[in-house]
Amino acid sequence: MLPVVLSATFVQLLNVTAAQIAAPSIQADLGAGSGAVQLILAGYTLTYACLLITAARLGDRYGYRRLFVLGTVVFTTGSIAAACAPDATFLIAARLVQGAGSGLVAPQVLSIIQVAVPAARRPRALGLFGATMGVASLAGPLIGGLLVGADLFGLGWRPVFLVTVPVALVSLAGATVLPRTRGPGGQRVDGVGVLLTTVGFGALVLPLALGGEADWPWWTWATLAGSVAVLGCFALTLRHRPHPLVYPSLFRDRRARAGVLLVFVFNAGVPSFTYLLFLHLQSALGCPALTAALTSAPFAAAAVLGSRGAPVLARRHGAAALTVSALVLAGTALALAPLIGTEAGRWAALPVLALGGAAFGSFTASVFASVLAGVDDSAAGSVSGLLPTAQQLGGSIGVAAAGLVYFAPMAGPDAAFRHAMIYEAAVFTVTALISLRMQDRNRLVAPRADAARRDGDLDGTCRWPAPGAESGRGSLGVPTYRRWRGGDDGVEDRL
């Protein structure tokens, strides 16, 4: 099951960063203006982010596999159309279709893992999911640079979109092994919530994507203000909706709030970090796309190794591994600033990038398992929509903010890159501080896990209410018991 859903995740995120590398070639071939190129890049993220929360509830109602198949078909159709686009307008429309397909698929992947994978194997599955997302976002520039530089069959930039088609078709063929699971019975789709989230997220992502290129005209600020008002209305009316898109109880859970915020802030740093690195190498230093891609290769390669070691680090050190990883990334950004400007410095930057890549892989492979550790299966759909939404919005806001810092009036490109890396270091430092809240939560859980080991059965699990177990009500109002699985990490396992 995992190769099927993870391969779909890989190609969807590959599309984001690979298209950024192909943008100059697309502009030259199609004669597109800078605004059209920005829409080609932003169109994918726009429909992707707008559909995530709605698609999560659609999966709850109609089945995760059904929505996975539908989204994969839409994504594949959009990819083929993008590769065959005769002009910029057609390509923008194809990118919107691609993003819609990805938005339909992404929440189903997390929901399937959360409800279909046995609890004992779930942390590893979530770790692989996080690692896949991280490696895909880093491999995009490398693969995009190689394909554009190779100019296969004289097709130029078009193989960047075609390369995802075979993988998507394999995922579609393998969907037969996915379970026919869905959320609890009686789930309905809140039409008002769908309208508010679609308009709100669309009004948030669009000006962030286009504002920098347009020098932030008045309409970008008006649209951002409108998005805040619409999303605020959505949040305030959740408790009054009979079938809300997001369970209000999730916002009362400190761990869930901290986890969503952690994913948001971390992604305000990572996509912008790779974006700034490639932008500086190509625009300021004049490196070709292939050279820029190879310069970042140690970061991507080490991310794979870091993700492999993440499960061991998470078992031994819990959320502390997230804190250390974020601090290493902050140090990487600061160390990179004085190195990247010269050829000798770029050689010296390779081990620095490798260290940062290992920290990145460790973080992405651990964060989703850490956040979802205490979430009820009944709320899996809501969380599966919230986390990718936080990821996409964080990335969009981070790229816009980093661009403002980089393009602010500076003494020269070296100073611009240095200030941008200071921004990145600040974001990763804030990420480390937020992850400390996850550690505090783990420390509160651990004593109760010890009580379960003393008062429960031999394997350290309280199968029935006992000293150290708590009773209460789940997110749907169903009476539940909470048991504490007796492990070193004191992970909470709810019944």
Side-chain angles (χ1 to χ4, degrees), residues 179-220:
R180 294 179 178 273
T181 52
R182 65 181 68 192
Q187 297 274 6
R188 295 184 181 275
V189 180
D190 178 16
V192 175
V194 170
L195 178 62
L196 290 175
T197 55
T198 302
V199 173
F201 289 132
L204 180 60
V205 172
L206 188 62
L208 289 174
L210 303 181
E213 186 71 23
D215 200 21
W216 298 99
W218 67 268
W219 67 264
T220 58

Tab-separated table of all heavy atoms in Angstrom, residues 179-220:
chain	number	residue	atom	x	y	z
A	179	PRO	N	-7.207	0.165	0.759
A	179	PRO	CA	-8.433	-0.273	1.434
A	179	PRO	C	-9.601	0.642	1.111
A	179	PRO	O	-9.431	1.844	0.874
A	179	PRO	CB	-8.059	-0.181	2.922
A	179	PRO	CG	-7.010	0.870	2.976
A	179	PRO	CD	-6.216	0.732	1.700
A	180	ARG	N	-10.793	0.083	1.140
A	180	ARG	CA	-12.011	0.860	0.898
A	180	ARG	C	-12.504	1.451	2.215
A	180	ARG	O	-13.570	1.111	2.713
A	180	ARG	CB	-13.089	-0.014	0.279
A	180	ARG	CG	-12.760	-0.519	-1.125
A	180	ARG	CD	-13.869	-1.410	-1.652
A	180	ARG	NE	-13.612	-1.872	-3.004
A	180	ARG	CZ	-13.949	-1.214	-4.120
A	180	ARG	NH1	-14.578	-0.057	-4.012
A	180	ARG	NH2	-13.677	-1.702	-5.309
A	181	THR	N	-11.713	2.301	2.791
A	181	THR	CA	-12.071	2.896	4.074
A	181	THR	C	-12.581	4.311	3.871
A	181	THR	O	-12.302	4.954	2.869
A	181	THR	CB	-10.852	2.938	5.018
A	181	THR	OG1	-9.763	3.569	4.336
A	181	THR	CG2	-10.439	1.537	5.416
A	182	ARG	N	-13.336	4.769	4.854
A	182	ARG	CA	-13.843	6.128	4.856
A	182	ARG	C	-14.029	6.570	6.294
A	182	ARG	O	-13.813	5.797	7.226
A	182	ARG	CB	-15.167	6.231	4.086
A	182	ARG	CG	-16.309	5.458	4.718
A	182	ARG	CD	-17.571	5.592	3.871
A	182	ARG	NE	-17.442	4.914	2.595
A	182	ARG	CZ	-18.288	5.070	1.594
A	182	ARG	NH1	-19.297	5.920	1.700
A	182	ARG	NH2	-18.118	4.404	0.467
A	183	GLY	N	-14.405	7.826	6.493
A	183	GLY	CA	-14.603	8.334	7.839
A	183	GLY	C	-15.836	7.755	8.491
A	183	GLY	O	-16.578	6.966	7.895
A	184	PRO	N	-16.109	8.137	9.747
A	184	PRO	CA	-17.294	7.641	10.444
A	184	PRO	C	-18.555	7.945	9.663
A	184	PRO	O	-18.635	8.923	8.913
A	184	PRO	CB	-17.266	8.402	11.781
A	184	PRO	CG	-15.847	8.816	11.956
A	184	PRO	CD	-15.307	9.039	10.576
A	185	GLY	N	-19.579	7.081	9.826
A	185	GLY	CA	-20.830	7.254	9.103
A	185	GLY	C	-21.516	8.564	9.416
A	185	GLY	O	-21.349	9.158	10.471
A	186	GLY	N	-22.320	9.035	8.472
A	186	GLY	CA	-23.059	10.265	8.678
A	186	GLY	C	-22.311	11.532	8.330
A	186	GLY	O	-22.836	12.634	8.523
A	187	GLN	N	-21.080	11.404	7.822
A	187	GLN	CA	-20.310	12.594	7.467
A	187	GLN	C	-20.958	13.285	6.273
A	187	GLN	O	-21.301	12.662	5.286
A	187	GLN	CB	-18.875	12.197	7.107
A	187	GLN	CG	-18.104	11.570	8.240
A	187	GLN	CD	-17.455	12.619	9.118
A	187	GLN	OE1	-17.679	13.800	8.939
A	187	GLN	NE2	-16.659	12.186	10.067
A	188	ARG	N	-21.116	14.575	6.385
A	188	ARG	CA	-21.603	15.380	5.264
A	188	ARG	C	-20.601	16.482	4.954
A	188	ARG	O	-19.763	16.810	5.782
A	188	ARG	CB	-22.978	15.970	5.582
A	188	ARG	CG	-24.068	14.911	5.732
A	188	ARG	CD	-25.428	15.557	5.941
A	188	ARG	NE	-26.450	14.547	6.104
A	188	ARG	CZ	-27.084	13.938	5.107
A	188	ARG	NH1	-26.787	14.260	3.856
A	188	ARG	NH2	-27.996	13.019	5.340
A	189	VAL	N	-20.704	17.020	3.760
A	189	VAL	CA	-19.799	18.081	3.343
A	189	VAL	C	-20.495	19.420	3.568
A	189	VAL	O	-21.578	19.666	3.044
A	189	VAL	CB	-19.394	17.918	1.864
A	189	VAL	CG1	-18.458	19.037	1.446
A	189	VAL	CG2	-18.730	16.566	1.655
A	190	ASP	N	-19.890	20.276	4.349
A	190	ASP	CA	-20.447	21.584	4.686
A	190	ASP	C	-20.210	22.546	3.519
A	190	ASP	O	-19.086	23.001	3.288
A	190	ASP	CB	-19.779	22.095	5.969
A	190	ASP	CG	-20.252	23.477	6.370
A	190	ASP	OD1	-21.303	23.916	5.855
A	190	ASP	OD2	-19.582	24.125	7.193
A	191	GLY	N	-21.278	22.849	2.782
A	191	GLY	CA	-21.141	23.700	1.602
A	191	GLY	C	-20.654	25.101	1.926
A	191	GLY	O	-19.833	25.669	1.192
A	192	VAL	N	-21.130	25.662	3.034
A	192	VAL	CA	-20.686	26.999	3.425
A	192	VAL	C	-19.201	26.981	3.771
A	192	VAL	O	-18.443	27.880	3.395
A	192	VAL	CB	-21.521	27.518	4.622
A	192	VAL	CG1	-20.976	28.855	5.121
A	192	VAL	CG2	-22.985	27.655	4.224
A	193	GLY	N	-18.773	25.940	4.486
A	193	GLY	CA	-17.354	25.807	4.822
A	193	GLY	C	-16.488	25.664	3.586
A	193	GLY	O	-15.390	26.241	3.513
A	194	VAL	N	-16.963	24.892	2.602
A	194	VAL	CA	-16.222	24.735	1.347
A	194	VAL	C	-16.043	26.085	0.661
A	194	VAL	O	-14.946	26.438	0.194
A	194	VAL	CB	-16.945	23.749	0.414
A	194	VAL	CG1	-16.324	23.767	-0.980
A	194	VAL	CG2	-16.905	22.341	0.990
A	195	LEU	N	-17.117	26.862	0.598
A	195	LEU	CA	-17.045	28.175	-0.044
A	195	LEU	C	-16.074	29.094	0.687
A	195	LEU	O	-15.229	29.765	0.057
A	195	LEU	CB	-18.434	28.797	-0.077
A	195	LEU	CG	-18.533	30.202	-0.681
A	195	LEU	CD1	-18.108	30.190	-2.148
A	195	LEU	CD2	-19.953	30.750	-0.541
A	196	LEU	N	-16.162	29.130	2.016
A	196	LEU	CA	-15.310	30.034	2.788
A	196	LEU	C	-13.837	29.654	2.677
A	196	LEU	O	-12.972	30.523	2.512
A	196	LEU	CB	-15.751	30.034	4.255
A	196	LEU	CG	-17.102	30.697	4.560
A	196	LEU	CD1	-17.460	30.516	6.030
A	196	LEU	CD2	-17.079	32.172	4.198
A	197	THR	N	-13.529	28.357	2.773
A	197	THR	CA	-12.122	27.957	2.705
A	197	THR	C	-11.549	28.150	1.305
A	197	THR	O	-10.399	28.572	1.149
A	197	THR	CB	-11.951	26.489	3.133
A	197	THR	OG1	-12.814	25.649	2.341
A	197	THR	CG2	-12.280	26.303	4.600
A	198	THR	N	-12.339	27.853	0.280
A	198	THR	CA	-11.847	28.018	-1.093
A	198	THR	C	-11.551	29.479	-1.396
A	198	THR	O	-10.479	29.828	-1.912
A	198	THR	CB	-12.868	27.463	-2.101
A	198	THR	OG1	-13.128	26.084	-1.818
A	198	THR	CG2	-12.345	27.588	-3.523
A	199	VAL	N	-12.496	30.355	-1.054
A	199	VAL	CA	-12.295	31.786	-1.297
A	199	VAL	C	-11.167	32.326	-0.417
A	199	VAL	O	-10.301	33.076	-0.870
A	199	VAL	CB	-13.602	32.555	-1.047
A	199	VAL	CG1	-13.362	34.061	-1.122
A	199	VAL	CG2	-14.663	32.150	-2.059
A	200	GLY	N	-11.159	31.932	0.860
A	200	GLY	CA	-10.165	32.445	1.793
A	200	GLY	C	-8.751	32.045	1.432
A	200	GLY	O	-7.847	32.892	1.384
A	201	PHE	N	-8.537	30.763	1.148
A	201	PHE	CA	-7.188	30.308	0.797
A	201	PHE	C	-6.764	30.821	-0.575
A	201	PHE	O	-5.591	31.142	-0.803
A	201	PHE	CB	-7.095	28.789	0.852
A	201	PHE	CG	-7.135	28.236	2.245
A	201	PHE	CD1	-7.970	27.181	2.572
A	201	PHE	CD2	-6.353	28.783	3.243
A	201	PHE	CE1	-8.019	26.673	3.851
A	201	PHE	CE2	-6.388	28.283	4.534
A	201	PHE	CZ	-7.222	27.230	4.841
A	202	GLY	N	-7.710	30.897	-1.508
A	202	GLY	CA	-7.382	31.450	-2.815
A	202	GLY	C	-6.959	32.902	-2.718
A	202	GLY	O	-5.982	33.333	-3.348
A	203	ALA	N	-7.685	33.676	-1.897
A	203	ALA	CA	-7.344	35.085	-1.714
A	203	ALA	C	-6.048	35.266	-0.942
A	203	ALA	O	-5.441	36.339	-1.003
A	203	ALA	CB	-8.486	35.810	-0.982
A	204	LEU	N	-5.614	34.240	-0.233
A	204	LEU	CA	-4.344	34.318	0.489
A	204	LEU	C	-3.165	33.936	-0.402
A	204	LEU	O	-2.128	34.613	-0.417
A	204	LEU	CB	-4.400	33.401	1.713
A	204	LEU	CG	-3.160	33.353	2.607
A	204	LEU	CD1	-2.853	34.725	3.176
A	204	LEU	CD2	-3.360	32.345	3.732
A	205	VAL	N	-3.308	32.861	-1.168
A	205	VAL	CA	-2.192	32.340	-1.959
A	205	VAL	C	-1.906	33.219	-3.178
A	205	VAL	O	-0.743	33.475	-3.513
A	205	VAL	CB	-2.484	30.884	-2.392
A	205	VAL	CG1	-1.436	30.399	-3.382
A	205	VAL	CG2	-2.529	29.967	-1.182
A	206	LEU	N	-2.948	33.700	-3.852
A	206	LEU	CA	-2.739	34.428	-5.108
A	206	LEU	C	-1.891	35.687	-4.933
A	206	LEU	O	-0.902	35.872	-5.656
A	206	LEU	CB	-4.090	34.766	-5.741
A	206	LEU	CG	-4.027	35.352	-7.153
A	206	LEU	CD1	-3.410	34.351	-8.120
A	206	LEU	CD2	-5.412	35.760	-7.638
A	207	PRO	N	-2.206	36.591	-4.001
A	207	PRO	CA	-1.332	37.775	-3.859
A	207	PRO	C	0.056	37.439	-3.356
A	207	PRO	O	1.027	38.135	-3.696
A	207	PRO	CB	-2.094	38.658	-2.854
A	207	PRO	CG	-2.995	37.741	-2.128
A	207	PRO	CD	-3.371	36.675	-3.105
A	208	LEU	N	0.185	36.382	-2.548
A	208	LEU	CA	1.518	35.995	-2.100
A	208	LEU	C	2.369	35.529	-3.268
A	208	LEU	O	3.586	35.763	-3.306
A	208	LEU	CB	1.418	34.881	-1.052
A	208	LEU	CG	0.861	35.280	0.319
A	208	LEU	CD1	0.678	34.047	1.192
A	208	LEU	CD2	1.779	36.279	1.008
A	209	ALA	N	1.742	34.858	-4.223
A	209	ALA	CA	2.486	34.335	-5.369
A	209	ALA	C	2.816	35.420	-6.388
A	209	ALA	O	3.879	35.389	-7.020
A	209	ALA	CB	1.687	33.220	-6.046
A	210	LEU	N	1.923	36.399	-6.549
A	210	LEU	CA	2.102	37.392	-7.606
A	210	LEU	C	2.560	38.749	-7.096
A	210	LEU	O	2.997	39.590	-7.884
A	210	LEU	CB	0.777	37.582	-8.375
A	210	LEU	CG	0.169	36.333	-9.009
A	210	LEU	CD1	-1.114	36.700	-9.745
A	210	LEU	CD2	1.148	35.655	-9.950
A	211	GLY	N	2.454	38.996	-5.797
A	211	GLY	CA	2.727	40.320	-5.263
A	211	GLY	C	4.142	40.797	-5.478
A	211	GLY	O	4.380	41.951	-5.837
A	212	GLY	N	5.113	39.910	-5.259
A	212	GLY	CA	6.507	40.319	-5.399
A	212	GLY	C	6.844	40.754	-6.804
A	212	GLY	O	7.523	41.771	-7.016
A	213	GLU	N	6.386	39.999	-7.799
A	213	GLU	CA	6.670	40.335	-9.190
A	213	GLU	C	5.982	41.639	-9.600
A	213	GLU	O	6.504	42.406	-10.401
A	213	GLU	CB	6.198	39.180	-10.096
A	213	GLU	CG	6.550	39.338	-11.552
A	213	GLU	CD	8.037	39.174	-11.821
A	213	GLU	OE1	8.719	38.519	-10.991
A	213	GLU	OE2	8.517	39.702	-12.832
A	214	ALA	N	4.791	41.890	-9.024
A	214	ALA	CA	4.029	43.094	-9.371
A	214	ALA	C	4.367	44.280	-8.485
A	214	ALA	O	3.718	45.321	-8.574
A	214	ALA	CB	2.537	42.792	-9.287
A	215	ASP	N	5.359	44.134	-7.605
A	215	ASP	CA	5.777	45.201	-6.685
A	215	ASP	C	4.670	45.567	-5.696
A	215	ASP	O	4.509	46.723	-5.324
A	215	ASP	CB	6.229	46.443	-7.458
A	215	ASP	CG	7.101	47.360	-6.596
A	215	ASP	OD1	7.667	46.876	-5.597
A	215	ASP	OD2	7.182	48.556	-6.915
A	216	TRP	N	3.883	44.582	-5.293
A	216	TRP	CA	2.875	44.696	-4.235
A	216	TRP	C	1.945	45.896	-4.435
A	216	TRP	O	1.921	46.828	-3.645
A	216	TRP	CB	3.548	44.768	-2.856
A	216	TRP	CG	4.329	43.539	-2.553
A	216	TRP	CD1	5.679	43.361	-2.686
A	216	TRP	CD2	3.809	42.282	-2.110
A	216	TRP	NE1	6.030	42.086	-2.341
A	216	TRP	CE2	4.898	41.395	-1.974
A	216	TRP	CE3	2.528	41.826	-1.786
A	216	TRP	CZ2	4.753	40.067	-1.558
A	216	TRP	CZ3	2.371	40.508	-1.376
A	216	TRP	CH2	3.468	39.648	-1.266
A	217	PRO	N	1.132	45.872	-5.505
A	217	PRO	CA	0.137	46.935	-5.687
A	217	PRO	C	-0.966	46.853	-4.628
A	217	PRO	O	-1.040	45.883	-3.854
A	217	PRO	CB	-0.411	46.666	-7.090
A	217	PRO	CG	-0.203	45.194	-7.297
A	217	PRO	CD	1.072	44.858	-6.579
A	218	TRP	N	-1.866	47.814	-4.650
A	218	TRP	CA	-2.893	47.912	-3.602
A	218	TRP	C	-3.794	46.676	-3.555
A	218	TRP	O	-4.253	46.270	-2.476
A	218	TRP	CB	-3.752	49.166	-3.824
A	218	TRP	CG	-4.593	49.094	-5.072
A	218	TRP	CD1	-4.271	49.534	-6.307
A	218	TRP	CD2	-5.903	48.518	-5.167
A	218	TRP	NE1	-5.279	49.279	-7.203
A	218	TRP	CE2	-6.304	48.656	-6.526
A	218	TRP	CE3	-6.779	47.908	-4.281
A	218	TRP	CZ2	-7.535	48.212	-6.987
A	218	TRP	CZ3	-8.013	47.455	-4.742
A	218	TRP	CH2	-8.384	47.613	-6.076
A	219	TRP	N	-4.077	46.074	-4.740
A	219	TRP	CA	-5.027	44.965	-4.743
A	219	TRP	C	-4.491	43.744	-3.997
A	219	TRP	O	-5.277	42.939	-3.470
A	219	TRP	CB	-5.399	44.578	-6.178
A	219	TRP	CG	-4.279	43.985	-6.997
A	219	TRP	CD1	-3.470	44.628	-7.864
A	219	TRP	CD2	-3.871	42.602	-7.012
A	219	TRP	NE1	-2.559	43.757	-8.418
A	219	TRP	CE2	-2.789	42.500	-7.918
A	219	TRP	CE3	-4.305	41.446	-6.362
A	219	TRP	CZ2	-2.135	41.304	-8.178
A	219	TRP	CZ3	-3.664	40.245	-6.624
A	219	TRP	CH2	-2.597	40.185	-7.512
A	220	THR	N	-3.148	43.594	-3.927
A	220	THR	CA	-2.601	42.456	-3.186
A	220	THR	C	-2.901	42.591	-1.694
A	220	THR	O	-3.280	41.622	-1.038
A	220	THR	CB	-1.090	42.341	-3.419
A	220	THR	OG1	-0.446	43.558	-3.011
A	220	THR	CG2	-0.778	42.088	-4.879
